Amino acid sequence: MPRSQQSVNPASREAIRALAAAFAPALIKWQKKHGRNDLPWQQTRDPYAVWLSEIMLQQTKVSAVIPYFRRFLERFPTIAALAAAPEDDVLALWSGLGYYSRARNLHRAAQIIVTEHGGGFPQAMDAVMALPGIGRSTAAAILVFAFGKRGAILDGNVKRVLARVRGITGYPGENAVAAQLWTQAELLLPKTGLRAYTQGLMDLGATVCARRNPRCTECPVQTMCIAQRTGRTAELPTPKPRKTLPQRRTMMLVLQRAGEVLLEKRPSSGIWGGLWCFPVADSDADAVTVCAQRYGVQVELREALPVIAHGFTHYHLDILPQPAQVSSWPRRAAEPGLIWLSVEEAKAAAIPTPVRGILEQLIGRSRRR
Ligand code: SF4
């Protein structure tokens, strides 16, 4: 028995058994009629495609994922193809989807699957969870959808559904609250119909049991939901305690020469790890001096581009793009970590969203001239 179930007393365990007997059948019936059944990754049991979709869907909406999912599978149709690809190519295909550590982990995991599992996706929970970027909920979802195994999921949407159905207070990001939710997820898990049940939980959270204004009258588990019964749907789940995020500023040096821009590869750890970025400097630094000291070049500053505001989990960043014209570049173009690209080539490289925004601004400015 999972350790998290041991804290449930026998009376409430009995009540949950009765609830489970009604909950899963209602959800499965609803999923078959009203759930999402035609998404591209639902048309296959290939564990690679299922895994890819689960990773892409983390923090990203279905509609945004679909074109990326198709392009990715077209370019890297197998785990072996992904494992053999250069990291730059993988990041370039991920460009615009955000949370790039997902792409780096996916790539590393593919290489581990090839070297340690002979190229076949593992089927044991602990082996799946040992792969980079795969947590307990994602591992269970892959095993359910690809192999029909039994396992509870608890992604953000499911946490919301279960906190409401079971009336669990407290921010689900806290370990103690998450442990309660895992217990409920396991106790409610049916013995059969796992695929439709798991998809039903995901669909209910994504379409009916929305964060704001859940459509309870259309909900298949309305009569079993404590939050609905007690008028607490707006309170549950308990929101994250508010914390004001710090505000930071940085300058991006948009060096231009003969229709090309200079990009610099970021270190593999930290923000935008491994991506190509404009060189950064302190927001109040003198760009001419920075270019002279860092690259040994004279530059002529151009009018600054509009500030780009970018949000990270832990802080907000204002990016000040400073274009500068370079007449000659004494260093060799092949210097590691630096690359000159046309604006169009740069747009196709593995770049983070703010860099893409700056490139668009450059294109817009040159059109207006
Ligand atoms: Fe969510 Fe409302 Fe259904 Fe409860 S009844 S699970 S709050 S949609």
Side-chain angles (χ1 to χ4, degrees):
M1 179 190 299
R3 197 169 349 144
S4 56
Q5 290 188 22
Q6 292 169 6
S7 57
V8 178
N9 71 43
S12 36
R13 190 184 303 282
E14 216 26 69
I16 293 169
R17 270 208 197 101
L19 170 67
F23 185 82
L27 194 60
I28 290 171
K29 192 170 161 207
W30 173 85
Q31 199 288 324
K32 289 185 173 158
K33 195 157 175 220
H34 301 286
R36 299 173 295 187
N37 293 299
D38 52 2
L39 299 172
W41 44 89
Q42 291 176 314
Q43 314 312 314
T44 174
R45 299 259 163 102
D46 175 6
Y48 170 47
V50 172
W51 166 41
L52 178 65
S53 71
E54 288 300 324
I55 300 297
M56 285 187 164
L57 287 165
Q58 292 167 355
Q59 291 115 348
T60 311
K61 285 202 160 81
V62 164
S63 55
V65 163
I66 291 174
Y68 279 90
F69 174 80
R70 292 207 165 110
R71 275 199 299 270
F72 206 92
L73 274 188
E74 217 174 277
R75 177 73 193 278
F76 308 120
T78 61
I79 293 177
L82 174 60
E87 185 185 81
D88 247 11
D89 291 5
V90 178
L91 291 173
L93 266 190
W94 204 272
S95 184
L97 207 51
Y99 301 97
Y100 294 92
S101 59
R102 294 184 296 174
R104 286 192 297 276
N105 283 333
L106 195 76
H107 189 219
R108 271 182 30 233
Q111 291 168 339
I112 292 170
I113 292 170
V114 167
T115 53
E116 293 180 17
H117 300 281
F121 198 91
Q123 296 195 33
M125 185 73 175
D126 52 357
V128 178
M129 280 179 67
L131 295 170
I134 302 186
R136 179 174 167 187
S137 182
T138 303
I142 297 168
L143 292 177
V144 167
F145 291 132
F147 304 112
K149 299 211 170 197
R150 190 166 179 268
I153 60 156
L154 193 66
D155 64 15
N157 284 343
V158 177
K159 280 179 183 164
R160 182 169 61 252
V161 171
L162 294 186
R164 285 171 171 168
V165 169
R166 301 301 297 140
I168 293 172
T169 52
Y171 171 52
E174 283 166 17
N175 289 345
V177 180
Q180 284 185 60
L181 291 168
W182 272 114
T183 301
Q184 298 299 324
E186 284 161 358
L187 290 168
L188 289 173
L189 202 60
K191 292 203 165 43
T192 57
L194 265 298
R195 285 195 180 94
Y197 174 80
T198 305
Q199 188 64 50
L201 266 182
M202 291 175 168
D203 292 351
L204 190 69
T207 62
V208 173
C209 192
R211 195 181 303 273
R212 288 198 192 91
N213 305 323
R215 302 202 307 271
C216 301
T217 52
E218 297 168 33
C219 178
V221 296
Q222 185 190 356
T223 55
M224 308 164 212
C225 178
I226 292 175
Q228 153 73 5
R229 225 167 34 229
T230 56
R232 287 190 291 149
T233 56
E235 287 163 37
L236 295 175
T238 306
K240 186 178 186 174
R242 280 183 83 83
K243 194 168 85 179
T244 317
L245 293 179
Q247 185 78 42
R248 297 185 192 163
R249 284 160 71 83
T250 193
M251 187 196 312
M252 279 194 182
L253 296 165
V254 185
L255 299 190
Q256 294 169 278
R257 185 199 60 171
E260 294 184 329
V261 292
L262 180 73
L263 296 181
E264 193 169 52
K265 197 171 177 66
R266 303 275 309 176
S268 55
S269 60
I271 62 163
W272 303 318
L275 299 186
W276 292 95
C277 225
F278 290 114
V280 294
D282 283 350
S283 58
D284 51 3
D286 176 56
V288 174
T289 310
V290 172
C291 291
Q293 289 174 344
R294 203 182 284 177
Y295 306 115
V297 293
Q298 298 296 318
V299 299
E300 209 174 293
L301 298 187
R302 298 285 187 254
E303 189 191 342
L305 291 162
V307 172
I308 291 189
H310 192 72
F312 290 103
T313 333
H314 300 298
Y315 62 94
H316 297 296
L317 183 66
D318 276 348
I319 298 167
L320 290 58
Q322 176 59 64
Q325 198 65 34
V326 182
S327 45
S328 67
W329 184 255
R331 298 180 167 213
R332 285 178 303 125
E335 183 169 347
L338 289 178
I339 193 167
W340 284 98
L341 294 175
S342 72
V343 172
E344 285 307 321
E345 286 168 336
K347 275 175 68 186
I351 53 171
T353 303
V355 171
R356 186 171 302 282
I358 294 172
L359 291 168
E360 297 292 351
Q361 289 185 5
L362 278 182
I363 293 169
R365 180 177 276 187
S366 70
R367 280 201 192 118
R368 284 195 295 276
R369 280 204 182 119

